[in-house]
Amino acid sequence: MSDVARTPNASGAEAAVLRRLATRAMGLTGADIERIVREARLKARRGKRAMRYQDIEDGIRSNRPPVPIDLRWRFAIHEAGHAVVHHALDLGPIRGLNIDTGQGGYNLLGFHPSGNDTPEWHANMLAMLMAGRAAEALVLKRISGGSGGTDDSDLARATRMAFDIERTLGFGAEHPLLYRPHRSPGDVLDRNPELAARVHDRLETALNQATAILSERKSAFNGLIKALSDAQALDGAVVMRILDGDDRE
């Protein structure tokens, strides 16, 4: 972006702003970004000045409807829950959180390349996936449908993973050496109540683990909720500062 106005200490300042923009843009398509940059450039030309990073950030924000404060608070709780459990279980880096979408939150969670083929890793992943639901139950004393409802939702991903643990990964409680994949786990679970009970037990255990972690790390959890609700988008560096400053209760 050669026509972006530059400031002193450009390298460090620009890197921080670019991280913020990348976090703010989570959930947008490449076509959305291209249009927003084009509109920001046009705005700058009309003002007879160089394009600023703020023009792009304003464009991203105006591309989305404002999020009502009650939804923003719930989205913040949900995504903060995922981040705290992800960090506590050392699953990998956190690159950003965003609730500035009007349709739910987004997170950029990285994963360590090693250790992801063990029963322990899958159990930790289940806890991370269930953490948004656990967070809502802890703070709001009720849950929303935000964890489920679609094939890429937290509950759908967790159910598929627990199903695979039982049927395809060799970690199941019954006939673990049999490889029994299925394109539609829901169809199998509907017909096999014993398998459904085992899968549900794994999800319940994961939910309880997530709840325990969030209760133990209440200081970081609450701090991240407030910061995310206020800013609506946090890059990974800010998230990690909050999580690493945790004082366990």
Side-chain angles (χ1 to χ4, degrees), residues 2-72:
S2 59
D3 55 345
V4 173
R6 296 185 180 274
T7 58
N9 302 320
S11 59
E14 288 184 3
V17 172
L18 288 173
R19 286 195 301 269
R20 188 176 74 235
L21 288 177
T23 305
R24 185 74 71 186
M26 290 164 66
L28 296 177
T29 66
D32 291 332
I33 298 298
E34 184 178 2
R35 174 176 49 78
I36 288 168
V37 172
R38 188 168 57 247
E39 291 171 353
R41 185 176 289 121
L42 179 60
K43 175 183 176 182
R45 287 174 181 169
R46 286 173 176 167
K48 298 181 179 179
R49 58 173 175 78
M51 184 172 66
R52 307 184 185 113
Y53 289 117
Q54 188 62 46
D55 295 327
I56 302 175
E57 186 164 8
D58 289 345
I60 293 172
R61 296 293 296 271
S62 65
N63 189 70
R64 292 167 164 153
V67 181
I69 191 168
D70 57 333
L71 280 182
R72 192 168 73 201

Coordinates of all heavy atoms in Angstrom, one line a residue, residues 2-72:
S2 N 1.4 1.6 -1.2 CA 2.4 2.7 -1.3 C 1.7 4.0 -1.0 O 2.4 5.0 -0.7 CB 3.1 2.6 -2.6 OG 2.1 2.7 -3.7
D3 N 0.4 4.1 -1.2 CA -0.2 5.4 -1.0 C -0.8 5.6 0.4 O -1.6 6.5 0.6 CB -1.3 5.6 -2.1 CG -2.3 4.5 -2.1 OD1 -2.1 3.4 -1.5 OD2 -3.4 4.7 -2.7
V4 N -0.4 4.7 1.3 CA -0.8 4.9 2.7 C 0.2 5.9 3.4 O 1.4 5.8 3.3 CB -0.8 3.6 3.5 CG1 -1.0 3.8 4.9 CG2 -1.8 2.6 2.9
A5 N -0.4 6.9 4.1 CA 0.4 7.8 4.8 C 1.3 7.1 5.9 O 0.8 6.3 6.6 CB -0.5 8.9 5.5
R6 N 2.5 7.5 5.9 CA 3.5 6.8 6.9 C 3.7 7.7 8.0 O 3.6 9.0 7.9 CB 4.8 6.4 6.2 CG 4.5 5.4 5.1 CD 5.8 4.9 4.5 NE 5.5 3.9 3.4 CZ 5.3 2.6 3.7 NH1 5.4 2.2 4.9 NH2 5.0 1.8 2.7
T7 N 4.1 7.1 9.2 CA 4.3 7.9 10.4 C 5.7 7.5 10.9 O 6.3 6.6 10.5 CB 3.3 7.5 11.5 OG1 3.4 6.1 11.7 CG2 1.9 7.8 11.0
P8 N 6.2 8.3 11.9 CA 7.5 8.0 12.5 C 7.4 6.6 13.2 O 6.4 6.2 13.5 CB 7.7 9.1 13.5 CG 6.9 10.3 13.0 CD 5.7 9.6 12.3
N9 N 8.6 6.0 13.3 CA 8.7 4.6 13.9 C 7.8 3.7 13.1 O 7.0 2.9 13.6 CB 8.3 4.6 15.3 CG 9.1 5.5 16.2 OD1 10.4 5.6 16.0 ND2 8.5 6.2 17.1
A10 N 7.8 3.8 11.7 CA 6.9 3.1 10.9 C 6.9 1.6 11.1 O 5.9 1.0 11.1 CB 7.2 3.5 9.4
S11 N 8.1 1.0 11.2 CA 8.1 -0.4 11.2 C 7.3 -1.0 12.3 O 6.5 -1.9 12.1 CB 9.6 -0.9 11.2 OG 10.2 -0.4 12.4
G12 N 7.6 -0.6 13.6 CA 6.9 -1.1 14.7 C 5.4 -0.7 14.7 O 4.5 -1.5 15.0
A13 N 5.2 0.6 14.4 CA 3.8 1.1 14.4 C 3.0 0.5 13.4 O 1.8 0.1 13.6 CB 3.8 2.6 14.3
E14 N 3.5 0.3 12.2 CA 2.8 -0.2 11.1 C 2.5 -1.7 11.3 O 1.4 -2.2 11.0 CB 3.5 0.0 9.7 CG 3.5 1.4 9.3 CD 4.1 1.5 7.9 OE1 4.5 0.5 7.3 OE2 4.2 2.7 7.4
A15 N 3.4 -2.4 11.9 CA 3.2 -3.8 12.2 C 2.1 -4.0 13.1 O 1.2 -4.9 13.0 CB 4.5 -4.5 12.7
A16 N 2.0 -3.2 14.2 CA 0.9 -3.3 15.1 C -0.4 -2.9 14.5 O -1.4 -3.6 14.7 CB 1.2 -2.3 16.3
V17 N -0.4 -1.9 13.6 CA -1.7 -1.5 13.0 C -2.1 -2.6 12.0 O -3.3 -3.0 11.9 CB -1.5 -0.2 12.2 CG1 -2.7 0.1 11.4 CG2 -1.3 0.9 13.2
L18 N -1.2 -3.2 11.3 CA -1.5 -4.3 10.3 C -2.1 -5.5 11.1 O -3.0 -6.1 10.6 CB -0.3 -4.7 9.5 CG 0.1 -3.7 8.5 CD1 1.5 -4.1 7.8 CD2 -0.9 -3.5 7.4
R19 N -1.5 -5.8 12.2 CA -2.1 -6.9 13.0 C -3.5 -6.6 13.4 O -4.4 -7.4 13.4 CB -1.2 -7.2 14.3 CG 0.1 -7.9 14.0 CD 0.7 -8.4 15.2 NE 0.9 -7.4 16.2 CZ 2.1 -6.7 16.4 NH1 3.1 -7.0 15.5 NH2 2.2 -5.8 17.3
R20 N -3.8 -5.3 13.8 CA -5.1 -4.9 14.2 C -6.1 -5.0 13.1 O -7.2 -5.4 13.2 CB -5.1 -3.5 14.8 CG -6.4 -3.1 15.5 CD -6.3 -1.7 16.1 NE -6.3 -0.6 15.1 CZ -5.4 0.3 15.1 NH1 -4.4 0.3 15.9 NH2 -5.5 1.3 14.1
L21 N -5.6 -4.5 11.9 CA -6.5 -4.6 10.7 C -6.8 -6.0 10.3 O -7.9 -6.3 10.0 CB -5.8 -3.9 9.5 CG -5.7 -2.4 9.6 CD1 -5.0 -1.8 8.4 CD2 -7.1 -1.7 9.7
A22 N -5.8 -6.9 10.4 CA -6.0 -8.3 10.1 C -7.0 -8.9 11.0 O -7.9 -9.7 10.6 CB -4.7 -9.1 10.1
T23 N -6.9 -8.6 12.3 CA -7.9 -9.1 13.3 C -9.3 -8.5 13.0 O -10.3 -9.2 13.1 CB -7.5 -8.7 14.7 OG1 -6.1 -9.2 14.9 CG2 -8.4 -9.3 15.7
R24 N -9.3 -7.2 12.7 CA -10.6 -6.6 12.5 C -11.3 -7.2 11.2 O -12.5 -7.2 11.2 CB -10.4 -5.1 12.3 CG -11.6 -4.2 12.1 CD -12.4 -4.1 13.4 NE -11.7 -3.2 14.3 CZ -12.1 -3.0 15.6 NH1 -13.2 -3.6 16.0 NH2 -11.4 -2.2 16.4
A25 N -10.5 -7.6 10.3 CA -11.1 -8.1 9.0 C -11.4 -9.6 9.0 O -11.9 -10.1 8.0 CB -10.1 -7.9 7.9
M26 N -11.3 -10.3 10.2 CA -11.6 -11.7 10.3 C -13.0 -11.9 9.8 O -13.9 -11.2 10.2 CB -11.4 -12.2 11.7 CG -9.9 -12.3 12.1 SD -9.7 -12.4 13.9 CE -10.4 -14.0 14.2
G27 N -13.2 -12.9 9.0 CA -14.6 -13.2 8.5 C -14.9 -12.6 7.2 O -15.9 -13.0 6.6
L28 N -14.2 -11.6 6.7 CA -14.4 -11.0 5.5 C -13.7 -11.8 4.3 O -12.7 -12.4 4.6 CB -13.9 -9.5 5.4 CG -14.5 -8.5 6.4 CD1 -13.9 -7.2 6.3 CD2 -16.0 -8.4 6.1
T29 N -14.3 -11.7 3.2 CA -13.7 -12.4 2.0 C -12.7 -11.5 1.3 O -12.6 -10.3 1.6 CB -14.8 -12.7 1.0 OG1 -15.3 -11.5 0.4 CG2 -15.9 -13.5 1.6
G30 N -11.9 -12.1 0.4 CA -10.9 -11.3 -0.3 C -11.5 -10.2 -1.1 O -11.0 -9.1 -1.2
A31 N -12.7 -10.5 -1.7 CA -13.5 -9.5 -2.4 C -13.9 -8.3 -1.5 O -13.9 -7.2 -2.0 CB -14.7 -10.1 -3.1
D32 N -14.3 -8.6 -0.3 CA -14.7 -7.6 0.6 C -13.6 -6.7 0.9 O -13.7 -5.4 0.9 CB -15.2 -8.2 2.0 CG -16.5 -9.0 1.9 OD1 -17.3 -8.6 1.0 OD2 -16.7 -9.9 2.7
I33 N -12.4 -7.2 1.2 CA -11.2 -6.4 1.5 C -10.8 -5.6 0.3 O -10.5 -4.4 0.5 CB -10.0 -7.4 1.9 CG1 -10.4 -8.2 3.2 CG2 -8.8 -6.5 2.1 CD1 -10.7 -7.3 4.4
E34 N -10.8 -6.2 -0.9 CA -10.5 -5.4 -2.1 C -11.4 -4.2 -2.3 O -11.0 -3.1 -2.6 CB -10.6 -6.3 -3.3 CG -10.1 -5.6 -4.6 CD -10.2 -6.6 -5.8 OE1 -10.6 -7.7 -5.6 OE2 -9.8 -6.1 -6.9
R35 N -12.7 -4.4 -2.0 CA -13.7 -3.3 -2.2 C -13.4 -2.2 -1.1 O -13.5 -1.0 -1.4 CB -15.1 -3.8 -2.1 CG -16.2 -2.8 -2.1 CD -17.5 -3.4 -2.0 NE -17.7 -4.4 -1.0 CZ -17.9 -4.2 0.3 NH1 -17.9 -2.9 0.7 NH2 -18.0 -5.2 1.1
I36 N -13.2 -2.7 0.1 CA -12.9 -1.7 1.2 C -11.7 -0.9 1.0 O -11.7 0.4 1.2 CB -12.8 -2.5 2.6 CG1 -14.2 -3.0 3.0 CG2 -12.3 -1.6 3.7 CD1 -14.2 -4.0 4.1
V37 N -10.6 -1.5 0.5 CA -9.4 -0.7 0.2 C -9.7 0.3 -1.0 O -9.2 1.4 -0.9 CB -8.2 -1.7 -0.1 CG1 -7.0 -0.9 -0.7 CG2 -7.9 -2.5 1.1
R38 N -10.4 -0.2 -2.0 CA -10.7 0.7 -3.1 C -11.5 1.9 -2.6 O -11.2 3.0 -3.0 CB -11.5 -0.1 -4.2 CG -11.7 0.6 -5.5 CD -12.2 -0.3 -6.6 NE -13.4 -1.0 -6.2 CZ -13.5 -2.3 -6.0 NH1 -12.4 -3.1 -6.1 NH2 -14.7 -2.8 -5.7
E39 N -12.5 1.7 -1.8 CA -13.3 2.8 -1.3 C -12.5 3.7 -0.4 O -12.7 5.0 -0.4 CB -14.5 2.2 -0.5 CG -15.5 1.5 -1.3 CD -16.6 0.8 -0.5 OE1 -16.4 0.7 0.7 OE2 -17.6 0.3 -1.1
A40 N -11.5 3.1 0.4 CA -10.7 4.0 1.3 C -9.8 4.8 0.4 O -9.5 6.0 0.7 CB -9.9 3.1 2.2
R41 N -9.2 4.3 -0.7 CA -8.4 5.0 -1.6 C -9.1 6.2 -2.2 O -8.6 7.3 -2.3 CB -7.8 4.1 -2.6 CG -6.7 4.7 -3.5 CD -6.1 3.7 -4.5 NE -5.3 2.8 -3.8 CZ -5.4 1.5 -3.7 NH1 -6.4 0.9 -4.4 NH2 -4.6 0.7 -3.1
L42 N -10.4 5.9 -2.6 CA -11.2 6.9 -3.2 C -11.5 8.0 -2.3 O -11.5 9.2 -2.6 CB -12.5 6.3 -3.8 CG -13.5 7.2 -4.4 CD1 -12.9 7.9 -5.7 CD2 -14.8 6.5 -4.8
K43 N -11.8 7.7 -1.0 CA -12.1 8.7 0.0 C -10.8 9.6 0.2 O -11.0 10.8 0.4 CB -12.4 7.9 1.3 CG -12.6 8.9 2.5 CD -12.9 8.0 3.8 CE -13.0 8.9 5.0 NZ -13.2 8.1 6.3
A44 N -9.7 9.0 0.2 CA -8.4 9.8 0.4 C -8.2 10.7 -0.8 O -7.8 11.9 -0.6 CB -7.2 8.8 0.6
R45 N -8.4 10.2 -2.0 CA -8.2 11.1 -3.1 C -9.2 12.3 -3.2 O -8.8 13.4 -3.5 CB -8.4 10.2 -4.4 CG -7.2 9.3 -4.7 CD -7.5 8.4 -5.9 NE -6.4 7.5 -6.1 CZ -6.4 6.5 -6.9 NH1 -7.5 6.2 -7.6 NH2 -5.3 5.7 -7.0
R46 N -10.4 12.0 -2.7 CA -11.4 13.1 -2.7 C -11.0 14.2 -1.6 O -11.2 15.4 -1.8 CB -12.8 12.6 -2.3 CG -13.5 11.8 -3.5 CD -14.7 11.2 -3.0 NE -15.5 10.6 -4.1 CZ -16.5 9.7 -4.0 NH1 -16.9 9.4 -2.7 NH2 -17.1 9.2 -5.0
G47 N -10.3 13.7 -0.6 CA -9.8 14.6 0.4 C -8.4 15.2 0.1 O -7.8 15.9 0.9
K48 N -7.9 14.8 -1.1 CA -6.6 15.3 -1.6 C -5.5 15.0 -0.6 O -4.7 15.9 -0.2 CB -6.7 16.8 -1.9 CG -7.6 17.1 -3.0 CD -7.7 18.6 -3.4 CE -8.7 18.8 -4.5 NZ -8.7 20.3 -4.9
R49 N -5.4 13.8 -0.1 CA -4.4 13.3 0.9 C -4.1 11.9 0.6 O -4.7 11.2 -0.2 CB -5.0 13.5 2.3 CG -6.2 12.7 2.6 CD -6.6 12.8 4.0 NE -7.9 12.2 4.3 CZ -8.1 10.8 4.4 NH1 -7.1 10.0 4.2 NH2 -9.3 10.4 4.7
A50 N -3.1 11.4 1.3 CA -2.7 10.0 1.2 C -3.7 9.2 2.0 O -4.3 9.6 3.0 CB -1.3 9.8 1.8
M51 N -3.9 7.9 1.6 CA -4.8 7.0 2.3 C -4.1 6.7 3.7 O -2.9 6.5 3.7 CB -5.0 5.7 1.5 CG -6.0 4.8 2.1 SD -6.4 3.4 1.0 CE -4.8 2.6 0.9
R52 N -4.9 6.6 4.7 CA -4.4 6.2 6.0 C -5.0 4.9 6.4 O -6.0 4.4 5.9 CB -4.9 7.3 7.1 CG -4.5 8.7 6.7 CD -5.0 9.6 7.9 NE -4.8 11.0 7.5 CZ -5.8 11.9 7.3 NH1 -7.0 11.5 7.4 NH2 -5.5 13.2 7.0
Y53 N -4.3 4.2 7.3 CA -4.7 3.0 7.9 C -6.1 3.1 8.5 O -7.0 2.2 8.4 CB -3.8 2.4 8.9 CG -2.5 1.9 8.3 CD1 -1.3 2.5 8.6 CD2 -2.5 0.8 7.4 CE1 -0.1 2.0 8.1 CE2 -1.3 0.4 6.9 CZ -0.1 1.0 7.2 OH 1.1 0.5 6.7
Q54 N -6.4 4.3 9.1 CA -7.7 4.5 9.7 C -8.8 4.5 8.7 O -9.9 4.0 9.0 CB -7.7 5.8 10.5 CG -8.9 6.1 11.3 CD -9.1 5.1 12.4 OE1 -8.1 4.8 13.1 NE2 -10.3 4.5 12.6
D55 N -8.5 4.9 7.5 CA -9.5 4.8 6.4 C -9.9 3.4 6.2 O -11.1 3.1 6.0 CB -9.0 5.4 5.1 CG -8.7 6.9 5.2 OD1 -9.4 7.6 5.9 OD2 -7.7 7.3 4.5
I56 N -9.0 2.5 6.2 CA -9.3 1.0 6.0 C -10.0 0.5 7.1 O -11.0 -0.2 7.0 CB -8.0 0.2 5.7 CG1 -7.2 0.8 4.5 CG2 -8.3 -1.2 5.5 CD1 -5.9 0.2 4.2
E57 N -9.6 0.8 8.3 CA -10.3 0.3 9.5 C -11.7 0.8 9.6 O -12.7 0.1 9.9 CB -9.5 0.7 10.8 CG -10.1 0.1 12.1 CD -9.2 0.1 13.2 OE1 -8.1 0.8 13.1 OE2 -9.5 -0.5 14.3
D58 N -11.9 2.1 9.3 CA -13.3 2.7 9.2 C -14.1 2.0 8.2 O -15.3 1.7 8.4 CB -13.2 4.2 8.9 CG -12.6 5.0 10.1 OD1 -12.6 4.5 11.2 OD2 -12.3 6.2 9.8
G59 N -13.5 1.6 7.1 CA -14.2 0.9 6.0 C -14.6 -0.5 6.5 O -15.8 -0.9 6.1
I60 N -13.8 -1.2 7.2 CA -14.1 -2.5 7.7 C -15.3 -2.4 8.7 O -16.2 -3.1 8.6 CB -12.9 -3.1 8.4 CG1 -11.8 -3.4 7.3 CG2 -13.3 -4.4 9.1 CD1 -10.5 -3.9 7.9
R61 N -15.2 -1.4 9.6 CA -16.3 -1.2 10.6 C -17.6 -0.9 9.9 O -18.6 -1.4 10.3 CB -15.9 -0.1 11.6 CG -14.6 -0.4 12.4 CD -14.9 -1.6 13.4 NE -15.9 -1.3 14.4 CZ -15.6 -0.7 15.5 NH1 -14.4 -0.4 15.8 NH2 -16.6 -0.5 16.4
S62 N -17.6 0.0 8.9 CA -18.8 0.4 8.3 C -19.4 -0.6 7.4 O -20.6 -0.6 7.0 CB -18.6 1.7 7.4 OG -17.7 1.5 6.4
N63 N -18.6 -1.7 7.1 CA -19.1 -2.8 6.3 C -20.0 -3.7 7.0 O -20.6 -4.6 6.5 CB -17.8 -3.6 5.7 CG -18.2 -4.6 4.7 OD1 -18.6 -4.3 3.6 ND2 -18.1 -5.9 5.0
R64 N -20.0 -3.5 8.4 CA -20.8 -4.4 9.2 C -21.8 -3.6 10.0 O -21.5 -2.5 10.4 CB -19.8 -5.1 10.2 CG -18.9 -6.1 9.5 CD -17.8 -6.6 10.4 NE -17.2 -7.8 9.9 CZ -15.9 -8.1 10.1 NH1 -15.2 -7.4 10.9 NH2 -15.4 -9.2 9.6
P65 N -22.9 -4.2 10.3 CA -23.9 -3.5 11.1 C -23.4 -3.4 12.6 O -22.6 -4.3 13.0 CB -25.1 -4.4 11.0 CG -24.6 -5.7 10.7 CD -23.4 -5.5 9.9
P66 N -23.7 -2.4 13.3 CA -23.3 -2.3 14.7 C -23.9 -3.5 15.5 O -25.0 -3.9 15.3 CB -23.9 -0.9 15.2 CG -25.0 -0.6 14.2 CD -24.6 -1.2 12.9
V67 N -23.1 -4.0 16.4 CA -23.5 -5.1 17.2 C -24.2 -4.6 18.5 O -23.5 -3.8 19.3 CB -22.3 -6.0 17.6 CG1 -22.7 -7.2 18.4 CG2 -21.5 -6.4 16.3
P68 N -25.4 -5.0 18.8 CA -26.0 -4.6 20.1 C -25.2 -4.9 21.3 O -24.5 -6.0 21.2 CB -27.4 -5.3 20.0 CG -27.6 -5.6 18.6 CD -26.3 -5.8 18.0
I69 N -25.2 -4.1 22.3 CA -24.3 -4.3 23.4 C -24.5 -5.7 24.1 O -23.6 -6.3 24.6 CB -24.5 -3.1 24.4 CG1 -23.3 -3.2 25.4 CG2 -25.8 -3.2 25.1 CD1 -23.2 -2.0 26.3
D70 N -25.8 -6.2 24.2 CA -26.0 -7.4 24.8 C -25.4 -8.6 24.0 O -24.8 -9.5 24.6 CB -27.5 -7.7 25.1 CG -28.3 -7.7 23.8 OD1 -27.9 -7.0 22.9 OD2 -29.4 -8.3 23.8
L71 N -25.5 -8.5 22.7 CA -24.9 -9.5 21.9 C -23.3 -9.4 21.9 O -22.6 -10.4 22.0 CB -25.3 -9.4 20.4 CG -26.7 -10.0 20.0 CD1 -26.9 -9.8 18.6 CD2 -26.8 -11.4 20.4
R72 N -22.8 -8.2 21.9 CA -21.4 -8.0 22.0 C -20.8 -8.6 23.3 O -19.8 -9.3 23.3 CB -21.1 -6.5 21.9 CG -19.6 -6.2 21.7 CD -19.5 -4.7 21.4 NE -19.7 -3.9 22.6 CZ -20.0 -2.6 22.5 NH1 -20.2 -2.0 21.3 NH2 -20.1 -1.9 23.6

